[in-house]
Amino acid sequence: MAAQVRRHPLAAQTAELLMTRIRAGEWPLGHRLPGETTLAAQLGVGRSTLREAVRELAGKGVLDSRQGAGVYVTALEATENWDVVLRQADIVSVIEARIAIESEAAALAAHRRTRADLRVLRSTLAAREANGEPVAEHVDADMAFHRAVIVAAHNEVLTQLFDSFLPRLRLAMIDMLEIRPVPSESADHAAHQRLLDAIVAKNASAAAEFSRTHLTSLKAAFS
Protein backbone atom coordinates (compact mmCIF):
# COMPACT_ATOMS: atom_id res chain seq x y z
CA MET A 1 0.00 0.00 0.00
CA ALA A 2 1.35 3.44 -0.94
CA ALA A 3 2.58 5.67 1.89
CA GLN A 4 0.13 8.32 2.95
CA VAL A 5 0.67 11.97 3.75
CA ARG A 6 0.15 12.65 7.46
CA ARG A 7 1.64 16.09 8.15
CA HIS A 8 0.69 19.67 7.24
CA PRO A 9 0.83 21.59 5.05
CA LEU A 10 -0.84 18.84 3.08
CA ALA A 11 -0.36 20.28 -0.40
CA ALA A 12 3.39 20.75 0.06
CA GLN A 13 3.73 17.28 1.56
CA THR A 14 1.68 15.82 -1.26
CA ALA A 15 3.87 17.55 -3.86
CA GLU A 16 6.99 16.17 -2.18
CA LEU A 17 5.59 12.64 -2.09
CA LEU A 18 4.65 12.87 -5.77
CA MET A 19 8.16 14.10 -6.52
CA THR A 20 9.65 11.18 -4.58
CA ARG A 21 7.62 8.67 -6.57
CA ILE A 22 8.56 10.35 -9.85
CA ARG A 23 12.28 10.25 -8.96
CA ALA A 24 11.88 6.57 -8.04
CA GLY A 25 10.67 5.88 -11.57
CA GLU A 26 7.09 4.97 -10.72
CA TRP A 27 5.92 7.37 -13.44
CA PRO A 28 8.52 7.76 -16.20
CA LEU A 29 9.01 10.87 -18.32
CA GLY A 30 5.94 11.38 -20.51
CA HIS A 31 3.83 9.01 -18.42
CA ARG A 32 0.28 9.85 -17.40
CA LEU A 33 -0.46 9.87 -13.67
CA PRO A 34 -3.43 7.89 -12.33
CA GLY A 35 -6.78 9.65 -12.34
CA GLU A 36 -7.43 12.30 -9.71
CA THR A 37 -9.79 10.18 -7.61
CA THR A 38 -7.46 7.16 -7.62
CA LEU A 39 -4.34 9.18 -6.85
CA ALA A 40 -5.97 11.20 -4.09
CA ALA A 41 -7.08 7.95 -2.44
CA GLN A 42 -3.57 6.48 -2.75
CA LEU A 43 -2.08 9.53 -1.04
CA GLY A 44 -4.80 9.84 1.57
CA VAL A 45 -5.66 13.45 0.70
CA GLY A 46 -8.61 15.29 -0.72
CA ARG A 47 -8.89 16.07 -4.41
CA SER A 48 -8.48 19.82 -3.80
CA THR A 49 -5.18 19.16 -1.95
CA LEU A 50 -4.00 16.96 -4.81
CA ARG A 51 -4.89 19.65 -7.35
CA GLU A 52 -2.86 22.21 -5.40
CA ALA A 53 0.11 19.83 -5.28
CA VAL A 54 -0.16 19.24 -9.03
CA ARG A 55 -0.25 23.02 -9.62
CA GLU A 56 2.90 23.40 -7.53
CA LEU A 57 4.78 20.78 -9.52
CA ALA A 58 3.42 22.14 -12.80
CA GLY A 59 4.88 25.52 -11.83
CA LYS A 60 8.26 23.82 -11.40
CA GLY A 61 8.05 22.14 -14.79
CA VAL A 62 7.59 18.60 -13.46
CA LEU A 63 3.95 18.01 -14.36
CA ASP A 64 1.67 19.19 -17.15
CA SER A 65 -2.08 19.17 -16.60
CA ARG A 66 -3.72 18.77 -20.01
CA GLN A 67 -7.38 19.63 -20.30
CA GLY A 68 -9.40 16.46 -20.83
CA ALA A 69 -6.28 14.29 -21.12
CA GLY A 70 -4.90 14.06 -17.58
CA VAL A 71 -1.65 14.95 -15.83
CA TYR A 72 1.67 14.01 -17.42
CA VAL A 73 5.26 13.88 -16.18
CA THR A 74 7.33 16.43 -18.11
CA ALA A 75 10.53 16.47 -16.01
CA LEU A 76 12.18 14.22 -13.43
CA GLU A 77 13.48 17.06 -11.27
CA ALA A 78 11.99 20.37 -10.20
CA THR A 79 13.49 23.39 -11.93
CA GLU A 80 15.49 25.54 -9.54
CA ASN A 81 15.61 29.30 -9.87
CA TRP A 82 18.44 29.93 -12.36
CA ASP A 83 19.88 32.86 -10.41
CA VAL A 84 20.05 30.73 -7.26
CA VAL A 85 21.79 27.92 -9.15
CA LEU A 86 24.44 30.29 -10.50
CA ARG A 87 25.04 31.96 -7.15
CA GLN A 88 25.63 28.57 -5.57
CA ALA A 89 27.76 27.17 -8.41
CA ASP A 90 31.52 27.16 -8.07
CA ILE A 91 33.32 29.24 -10.68
CA VAL A 92 34.92 26.20 -12.36
CA SER A 93 31.43 24.86 -13.12
CA VAL A 94 30.46 28.22 -14.61
CA ILE A 95 33.58 28.25 -16.81
CA GLU A 96 32.88 24.68 -17.96
CA ALA A 97 29.43 25.86 -19.03
CA ARG A 98 31.04 28.81 -20.80
CA ILE A 99 33.33 26.43 -22.71
CA ALA A 100 30.33 24.51 -24.00
CA ILE A 101 28.40 27.65 -24.91
CA GLU A 102 31.16 29.87 -26.25
CA SER A 103 32.99 27.30 -28.36
CA GLU A 104 29.74 26.53 -30.18
CA ALA A 105 28.90 30.23 -30.40
CA ALA A 106 32.32 30.97 -31.89
CA ALA A 107 31.73 28.36 -34.60
CA LEU A 108 28.29 29.79 -35.35
CA ALA A 109 29.70 33.32 -35.39
CA ALA A 110 32.24 32.27 -38.03
CA HIS A 111 29.33 31.21 -40.25
CA ARG A 112 26.84 33.96 -39.45
CA ARG A 113 28.76 37.12 -38.57
CA THR A 114 27.79 40.25 -40.43
CA ARG A 115 29.84 43.34 -41.23
CA ALA A 116 28.19 45.06 -38.29
CA ASP A 117 29.19 42.16 -36.03
CA LEU A 118 32.81 42.42 -37.18
CA ARG A 119 32.87 46.14 -36.42
CA VAL A 120 31.68 45.45 -32.87
CA LEU A 121 34.15 42.59 -32.44
CA ARG A 122 37.07 44.72 -33.58
CA SER A 123 36.09 47.69 -31.42
CA THR A 124 35.55 45.59 -28.29
CA LEU A 125 38.85 43.78 -28.85
CA ALA A 126 40.65 47.12 -29.21
CA ALA A 127 38.97 48.41 -26.04
CA ARG A 128 39.99 45.25 -24.24
CA GLU A 129 43.64 45.69 -25.23
CA ALA A 130 43.66 49.35 -24.19
CA ASN A 131 41.97 48.66 -20.86
CA GLY A 132 44.51 47.37 -18.35
CA GLU A 133 43.67 49.11 -15.08
CA PRO A 134 41.72 49.08 -12.91
CA VAL A 135 40.93 45.38 -12.88
CA ALA A 136 37.15 45.83 -12.91
CA GLU A 137 37.30 47.88 -16.09
CA HIS A 138 39.52 45.31 -17.78
CA VAL A 139 37.10 42.53 -16.84
CA ASP A 140 34.17 44.52 -18.22
CA ALA A 141 36.05 45.11 -21.48
CA ASP A 142 36.88 41.41 -21.70
CA MET A 143 33.27 40.42 -21.08
CA ALA A 144 32.15 42.87 -23.78
CA PHE A 145 34.35 41.13 -26.36
CA HIS A 146 33.18 37.65 -25.37
CA ARG A 147 29.58 38.81 -25.48
CA ALA A 148 30.13 40.26 -28.95
CA VAL A 149 31.23 36.79 -30.11
CA ILE A 150 28.03 35.31 -28.68
CA VAL A 151 25.88 37.99 -30.32
CA ALA A 152 27.58 37.34 -33.67
CA ALA A 153 26.29 33.75 -33.46
CA HIS A 154 22.76 35.16 -33.84
CA ASN A 155 21.25 32.74 -31.36
CA GLU A 156 19.17 34.50 -28.72
CA VAL A 157 19.21 31.52 -26.37
CA LEU A 158 23.02 31.51 -26.26
CA THR A 159 23.06 35.26 -25.67
CA GLN A 160 20.63 35.02 -22.77
CA LEU A 161 22.57 32.13 -21.23
CA PHE A 162 25.79 34.15 -21.38
CA ASP A 163 24.07 37.19 -19.88
CA SER A 164 22.85 35.07 -16.99
CA PHE A 165 26.44 34.05 -16.24
CA LEU A 166 27.82 37.58 -16.27
CA PRO A 167 27.18 38.70 -12.65
CA ARG A 168 28.66 35.50 -11.16
CA LEU A 169 31.55 35.47 -13.61
CA ARG A 170 32.44 39.15 -13.35
CA LEU A 171 32.93 39.11 -9.58
CA ALA A 172 35.01 35.93 -9.70
CA MET A 173 37.23 37.31 -12.47
CA ILE A 174 37.84 40.55 -10.59
CA ASP A 175 38.72 38.67 -7.42
CA MET A 176 41.11 36.36 -9.24
CA LEU A 177 42.92 39.05 -11.26
CA GLU A 178 43.41 41.23 -8.21
CA ILE A 179 45.23 38.35 -6.51
CA ARG A 180 46.79 36.69 -9.53
CA PRO A 181 47.24 38.91 -12.63
CA VAL A 182 47.47 37.38 -16.11
CA PRO A 183 51.06 36.13 -16.59
CA SER A 184 51.39 37.68 -20.05
CA GLU A 185 48.96 40.33 -21.22
CA SER A 186 50.38 40.21 -24.75
CA ALA A 187 49.84 36.43 -24.97
CA ASP A 188 46.34 36.80 -23.57
CA HIS A 189 45.47 39.46 -26.12
CA ALA A 190 46.96 37.35 -28.91
CA ALA A 191 44.66 34.48 -27.95
CA HIS A 192 41.65 36.77 -28.35
CA GLN A 193 43.02 38.11 -31.64
CA ARG A 194 43.33 34.56 -33.02
CA LEU A 195 39.69 33.96 -32.15
CA LEU A 196 38.63 37.11 -33.97
CA ASP A 197 40.79 36.25 -36.99
CA ALA A 198 39.15 32.84 -37.25
CA ILE A 199 35.69 34.42 -37.16
CA VAL A 200 36.73 36.96 -39.82
CA ALA A 201 38.07 34.11 -41.98
CA LYS A 202 34.84 32.13 -41.50
CA ASN A 203 36.87 29.24 -40.10
CA ALA A 204 34.36 27.68 -37.73
CA SER A 205 36.53 24.81 -36.50
CA ALA A 206 39.44 27.13 -35.68
CA ALA A 207 37.14 29.62 -33.95
CA ALA A 208 35.68 26.88 -31.77
CA GLU A 209 39.12 25.51 -30.92
CA PHE A 210 40.59 28.93 -30.06
CA SER A 211 37.62 29.66 -27.81
CA ARG A 212 37.89 26.28 -26.10
CA THR A 213 41.66 26.57 -25.60
CA HIS A 214 41.43 30.05 -24.08
CA LEU A 215 38.62 29.17 -21.67
CA THR A 216 40.26 25.88 -20.70
CA SER A 217 43.35 27.82 -19.62
CA LEU A 218 41.07 30.14 -17.66
CA LYS A 219 39.49 27.13 -15.97
CA ALA A 220 42.96 25.90 -15.00
CA ALA A 221 43.67 29.23 -13.31
CA PHE A 222 40.67 28.72 -11.03
CA SER A 223 41.27 25.02 -10.36
Side-chain angles (χ1 to χ4, degrees), residues 82 147 150 155-165:
W82 186 234
R147 188 179 190 278
I150 301 281
N155 183 311
E156 186 60 28
V157 175
L158 292 178
T159 301
Q160 290 190 25
L161 280 171
F162 183 80
D163 286 348
S164 70
F165 290 155

Side-chain angles (χ1 to χ4, degrees), residues 134-158:
V135 169
E137 291 184 10
H138 174 72
V139 169
D140 288 342
D142 180 64
M143 292 297 101
F145 172 74
H146 284 276
R147 188 179 190 278
V149 173
I150 301 281
V151 170
H154 294 276
N155 183 311
E156 186 60 28
V157 175
L158 292 178

Side-chain angles (χ1 to χ4, degrees), residues 3-203:
Q4 293 187 349
V5 177
R6 300 186 185 281
R7 297 188 301 276
H8 294 278
L10 281 178
Q13 290 290 326
T14 302
E16 183 55 38
L17 185 51
L18 287 172
M19 195 70 249
T20 298
R21 292 171 69 174
I22 289 168
R23 290 189 186 107
E26 184 170 346
W27 303 304
L29 193 65
H31 192 85
R32 181 180 180 275
L33 268 61
E36 186 178 89
T37 301
T38 300
L39 190 54
Q42 285 182 9
L43 299 171
V45 298
R47 293 168 65 182
S48 61
T49 298
L50 176 61
R51 289 189 202 114
E52 189 177 341
V54 168
R55 280 196 296 271
E56 180 181 331
L57 293 180
K60 294 180 178 180
V62 174
L63 298 178
D64 180 26
S65 184
R66 302 171 188 173
Q67 185 67 34
V71 178
Y72 290 80
V73 177
T74 50
L76 303 180
E77 285 292 344
T79 302
E80 296 289 347
N81 181 282
W82 186 234
D83 291 336
V84 173
V85 171
L86 285 177
R87 283 198 300 272
Q88 294 175 344
D90 65 80
I91 191 61
V92 170
S93 295
V94 174
I95 294 173
E96 287 174 347
R98 278 189 69 191
I99 292 171
I101 291 169
E102 291 191 51
S103 59
E104 177 63 18
L108 292 174
H111 286 301
R112 300 174 179 174
R113 90 290 188 281
T114 64
R115 290 181 180 177
D117 292 327
L118 293 181
R119 285 195 295 271
V120 174
L121 284 163
R122 289 181 174 121
S123 66
T124 53
L125 184 61
R128 183 189 183 282
E129 184 179 23
N131 217 318
E133 295 292 343
V135 169
E137 291 184 10
H138 174 72
V139 169
D140 288 342
D142 180 64
M143 292 297 101
F145 172 74
H146 284 276
R147 188 179 190 278
V149 173
I150 301 281
V151 170
H154 294 276
N155 183 311
E156 186 60 28
V157 175
L158 292 178
T159 301
Q160 290 190 25
L161 280 171
F162 183 80
D163 286 348
S164 70
F165 290 155
L166 275 179
R168 175 76 177 91
L169 183 64
R170 180 179 183 274
L171 293 176
M173 287 296 297
I174 291 171
D175 288 344
M176 186 195 77
L177 291 175
E178 285 179 342
I179 298 170
R180 195 178 358 167
V182 174
S184 170
E185 290 185 9
S186 60
D188 185 52
H189 179 70
H192 289 76
Q193 183 66 59
R194 285 193 294 272
L195 172 56
L196 175 54
D197 291 344
I199 293 172
V200 171
K202 294 190 173 183
N203 189 333

